[in-house]
Amino acid sequence: MDDFLVAGRNVGLVVGGFSIASVQIGAGIIVGGATDGSQFGVWPGMYYAIGCGLGCIIAGIFIAGRMREVEGVVPMDYFEARFGKYKVVRGWAWLSNVPSMLGIFISQLLACGSILSAFGLPFSGSVIICAVVILVSAVMGGMWSVAIGNTIQIIIIMVGIPVAAIAALVTLNNNGVPVGEVFAIPFIPDGLFSKFIYKVTPMLVSISVSYDAFLRYQAAKDVKTAKGACILGGVITIVVGFAASLVGAAGQAVFPGSDHSSIFAFTVSELLNPVLAAVVVTAVLAAAMSSGSGLLIGLGGSFSADLYRGVMHPDKEMSELPKAKVIAKVTVVVACIVGVLLSFKIDNLLDAIILFNYPYMGSVLVPLLGAVFYKGATVKGCFAAMGVGAVIGTGAFIGSFIGMNADLGLFVAYLGSLIALVAVSSFDSKKCPMITKRSKQV
């Protein structure tokens, strides 16, 4: 089970850093960033990359090392190590995490579909083809295959996308348009402040407790490697995010009137040498599919560790449950099918990533970080924080589908959850000691 979910905890710094970067550098950073860059400008196009990249760096400096020491499989293992076993916590973590990871998985499928459709393939057929590749990789290889694949893809992306951005700027300059005009748009243009909060806030403090990133730094061979991998992954994410947004902004200036959703693939294919364009597009496509594989594995971990062990068999360890790996693999298959069907109904890539994240992150982020940093945190305080965050986060998620502006929904959920944690814990006399070196193994 450890081999399948966390690569036997034997991943080094470079592979780990590239793998963590690839959690972010897929659909949202490249395709979503280029799309936003073409619509709003190069700086707004970077918002999501900034949130993700800084989120990885913050996780590496402050959080990942402490959580890696526990040697958990899913984030709630840390909560359990400090506060004990509670079925309701595991049950909600599993339930709220399903839409979160499905939403991000759907975004990878949408990215794959938009890339291949730019070359004339039907969108639905493109999604199905990519889903089959994702499924085979997830079921057959586990986290090791994902990590090694990520490393190769990120190396190509780190070279190819900046080259594409430079080619777009050169073409723009040759057309008589000053390159400086691309960068002249303010960092936060009028009317986009709430969008800035919406796209930066979700990932800024949540990377460390997201299942896909958690599994990757848990796969690191030691605590120092886990911390370094997160920081390295964050730096790579910001650099690539800037280049991807620049491709969109400059590409839109070179090819005015182009479709925003497919501007990345279109610009790359038009401006680069055909062989180089094919390599870059393939690497981006593979990164999206590899991220999809990691997300499916994360869902498998949630079903096997949170639901099967945490709720159904709380008194047993994963090694005592031989069906856990079967359940994880079955979950991967079913989730892939459901994701394909939903991808035909959702058309906004970044909304699929961010909005579907509201119920899980809104409810578990503050209790988990409270378990790591807040000495005065109590079980009742964490339950109160989880309840308040769940109500606000889930309400904002549902409200977004009926026309409510949910841009600040996750920020409000974090704030309400934090107030509840501190207030209830302050009046609760039953304190829980911080995790020590003697109590770190789950």
Side-chain angles (χ1 to χ4, degrees):
M1 194 63 184
D2 267 2
D3 287 340
F4 183 71
L5 291 177
V6 290
R9 303 190 195 277
N10 198 35
V11 173
L13 175 63
V14 174
V15 174
F18 284 18
S19 183
I20 287 173
S22 75
V23 173
Q24 322 307 327
I25 300 172
I29 298 296
I30 297 177
V31 179
T35 298
D36 279 2
S38 70
Q39 286 183 291
F40 307 113
V42 64
W43 306 123
M46 281 189 66
Y47 290 166
Y48 185 68
I50 290 171
C52 291
L54 289 180
C56 289
I57 294 171
I58 290 171
I61 295 173
F62 298 107
I63 306 167
R66 299 190 183 197
M67 287 194 160
R68 172 63 181 82
E69 287 177 327
V70 171
E71 295 194 350
V73 174
V74 292
M76 280 302 166
D77 286 339
Y78 194 96
F79 185 93
E80 181 178 296
R82 179 170 179 190
F83 297 114
K85 298 179 179 181
Y86 293 91
K87 289 185 178 182
V88 66
V89 172
R90 288 287 191 170
W92 173 251
W94 161 73
L95 183 62
S96 61
N97 190 50
V98 171
S100 173
M101 300 203 73
L102 264 181
I104 305 174
F105 174 63
I106 290 167
S107 73
Q108 310 303 320
L109 295 179
L110 291 174
C112 293
S114 70
I115 291 172
L116 290 182
S117 61
F119 294 93
L121 293 176
F123 177 81
S124 57
S126 301
V127 167
I128 293 172
I129 290 170
C130 293
V132 171
V133 176
I134 289 171
L135 183 61
V136 171
S137 174
V139 172
M140 303 266 316
M143 189 55 74
W144 257 122
S145 71
V146 171
I148 298 301
N150 290 159
T151 302
I152 298 169
Q153 293 143 15
I154 294 299
I155 290 172
I156 297 172
I157 286 170
M158 287 173 62
V159 175
I161 293 183
V163 168
I166 293 170
L169 291 176
V170 169
T171 304
L172 194 63
N173 186 63
N174 291 339
N175 290 347
V177 180
V179 171
E181 289 188 6
V182 176
F183 303 98
I185 295 175
F187 185 75
I188 304 179
D190 291 342
L192 288 187
F193 179 74
S194 66
K195 284 293 181 187
F196 171 78
I197 298 296
Y198 172 68
K199 291 183 178 178
V200 172
T201 301
M203 301 302 172
L204 188 62
V205 291
S206 64
I207 295 293
S208 57
V209 299
S210 65
Y211 274 64
D212 46 355
F214 185 90
L215 285 170
R216 282 169 165 81
Y217 69 70
Q218 287 294 326
K221 62 184 179 180
D222 53 40
V223 170
K224 183 178 179 180
T225 302
K227 295 168 69 174
C230 285
I231 295 171
L232 175 60
V235 173
I236 293 171
T237 297
I238 294 174
V239 171
V240 173
F242 170 72
S245 180
L246 187 55
V247 169
Q252 189 65 35
V254 173
F255 306 107
S258 300
D259 179 46
H260 294 301
S261 64
S262 59
I263 188 67
F264 173 79
F266 181 77
T267 301
V268 169
S269 63
E270 289 292 320
L271 297 183
L272 295 186
N273 171 279
V275 175
L276 180 58
V279 171
V280 172
V281 170
T282 301
V284 174
L285 193 64
M289 290 190 288
S290 188
S291 295
S293 296
L295 288 158
L296 290 181
I297 293 171
L299 267 170
S302 180
F303 271 75
S304 58
D306 282 329
L307 178 62
Y308 182 57
R309 187 191 80 83
V311 176
M312 299 173 65
H313 301 283
D315 297 326
K316 293 184 179 295
E317 299 299 326
M318 291 288 282
S319 58
E320 300 177 272
L321 299 170
K323 292 182 180 179
K325 187 175 180 180
V326 175
I327 290 173
K329 288 193 172 186
V330 170
T331 300
V332 165
V333 175
V334 174
C336 185
I337 295 171
V338 172
V340 169
L341 296 176
L342 290 176
S343 69
F344 297 148
K345 304 292 184 181
I346 299 172
D347 57 8
N348 191 301
L349 189 149
L350 285 178
D351 281 350
I353 295 176
I354 297 172
L355 287 174
F356 278 67
N357 217 21
Y358 275 25
Y360 173 72
M361 284 301 174
S363 58
V364 307
L365 177 84
V366 170
L368 275 171
L369 295 188
V372 176
F373 295 109
Y374 183 25
K375 185 177 181 179
T378 67
V379 173
K380 290 181 180 179
C382 288
F383 278 2
M386 194 171 295
V388 171
V391 170
I392 299 174
T394 305
F397 171 65
I398 296 173
S400 67
F401 292 98
I402 57 176
M404 185 182 82
N405 186 339
D407 287 355
L408 301 179
L410 198 56
F411 178 79
V412 175
Y414 289 160
L415 182 60
S417 185
L418 178 61
I419 293 172
L421 173 65
V422 175
V424 175
S425 294
S426 297
F427 290 99
D428 186 6
S429 60
K430 190 176 180 180
K431 305 299 182 182
C432 299
M434 298 288 284
I435 294 177
T436 65
K437 291 183 178 180
R438 289 179 300 225
S439 62
K440 284 175 179 175
Q441 184 74 30
V442 174

